[in-house]
Amino acid sequence: MLEGVPDSSTAAAKTRTRKPRLDRALADAVDQAREAAEEAGDGIGEHLSVEAESERVVTHYFECTLPGYRGWRWAVVLTRAPRARAATVSESALLPGPDALRSPAWVPWADRLQGGEVGTGEVLPTDDDDDRLMPAYQLSDDDAVEDIAYELGLGRERVMNREGRAETAQRWYDGDRGPTAPIAEAAPAPARCGTCGFFMPLAGSMRLAFGACANLYSSEDARVVSADHGCGAHSQISEFVDTTPQGVEKSEIVYDDEGSEIL
């Protein structure tokens, strides 16, 4: 490129980004634009603005006074042929403005569904390509269940793959049955589920980290808990805290003699 001579690509880019000049004949055709808007619909308010779209093409904006359409605008596009003075209506439409009242973006139902929302009587189909599952009639990728026929697919068409199991384990561990749950943090430090006689380990690769609580008196009964979860119903709780009557703090005994009869 010669010094002082602009590059053709740079000049073309400036031409594309240059704001089009407002066509005065089209800009003055407000009444014609209003008539076109009134033919298109109701609620035509005051004229708001006119903007140049390209050479000899402008858009007139009118306020929309229809109930429920706050911030919306009637838009009418006008154009004219080269060397012609008469404006022609290209199109008209009701469009949202910058502060228009609009409904939220639509989200598919499958993406709106949150964990635990499938209730009694409801049905949630599982996609054939669910990335948490894999065909059960193939070799399992879980070494801990290779010798268990059920995990290999006998009786089931699909089983959870490694990704699905890892996602589940993390969700359980971070939830209300993990080590950071309030009930676990309030329990004595040694009272962990993994050492409790009521802890029933799960099968397969989950065995080392999770099990089901089988203590009738625990609030976690029949729930999956992590091995480092804990509560005050541990089978060996008496080894961790003094549970004898002497070790239990008693309140002051108060006698209520109101209404007593003196003999």
Side-chain angles (χ1 to χ4, degrees):
M1 182 178 67
L2 298 178
E3 184 177 356
V5 178
D7 181 44
S8 58
S9 60
T10 304
K14 290 183 178 180
T15 301
R16 288 193 300 268
T17 58
R18 185 182 302 126
K19 186 176 180 179
R21 184 174 59 87
L22 182 65
D23 188 291
R24 182 48 53 190
L26 297 177
D28 293 339
V30 178
D31 294 339
Q32 184 178 353
R34 178 180 292 276
E35 291 177 2
E38 291 174 347
E39 292 179 1
D42 301 325
I44 313 301
E46 64 177 275
H47 184 261
L48 299 176
S49 64
V50 58
E51 298 179 7
E53 304 294 347
S54 61
E55 186 178 2
R56 295 186 301 278
V57 178
V58 303
T59 300
H60 287 269
Y61 291 100
F62 297 89
E63 178 189 10
C64 178
T65 60
L66 293 173
Y69 284 85
R70 186 191 69 194
W72 286 66
R73 305 176 298 179
W74 282 103
V76 179
V77 180
L78 299 182
T79 185
R80 67 182 181 87
R83 294 185 297 276
R85 301 296 299 175
T88 301
V89 177
S90 179
E91 60 179 331
S92 57
L94 181 60
L95 302 176
D99 57 345
L101 178 63
R102 289 184 283 183
S103 60
W106 183 80
V107 179
W109 174 79
D111 296 336
R112 297 197 305 268
L113 191 65
Q114 301 296 317
E117 288 190 350
V118 179
T120 303
E122 298 177 336
V123 176
L124 175 63
T126 302
D127 294 336
D128 293 337
D129 58 350
D130 192 311
D131 56 10
R132 300 170 299 174
L133 300 172
M134 70 178 185
Y137 300 107
Q138 296 179 1
L139 186 64
S140 172
D141 63 351
D142 186 354
D143 295 336
V145 298
E146 287 295 338
D147 57 344
I148 303 177
Y150 187 72
E151 290 296 331
L152 291 179
L154 298 181
R156 291 190 291 172
E157 292 188 6
R158 291 189 290 178
V159 294
M160 293 187 71
N161 57 21
R162 181 170 296 161
E163 180 180 352
R165 293 193 301 273
E167 177 187 336
T168 300
Q170 192 65 53
R171 184 175 68 252
W172 287 353
Y173 198 78
D174 295 338
D176 295 336
R177 309 293 177 262
T180 59
I183 188 173
E185 293 183 339
R192 300 299 98 182
C193 294
T195 59
C196 180
F198 298 106
F199 181 74
M200 302 179 65
L202 297 184
S205 58
M206 293 287 198
R207 182 181 182 86
L208 297 178
F210 298 98
C213 176
N215 190 342
L216 169 66
Y217 301 105
S218 173
S219 60
E220 311 293 36
D221 182 40
R223 303 186 182 196
V224 173
V225 294
S226 68
D228 50 0
H229 186 64
C231 75
H234 192 283
S235 61
Q236 313 306 122
I237 193 68
S238 59
E239 299 179 5
F240 310 140
V241 296
D242 187 358
T243 58
T244 62
Q246 293 77 13
V248 177
E249 183 178 352
K250 297 182 179 179
S251 301
E252 180 184 359
I253 299 177
V254 178
Y255 294 96
D256 183 7
D257 58 359
E258 183 179 356
S260 300
E261 183 180 355
I262 302 177
L263 300 179

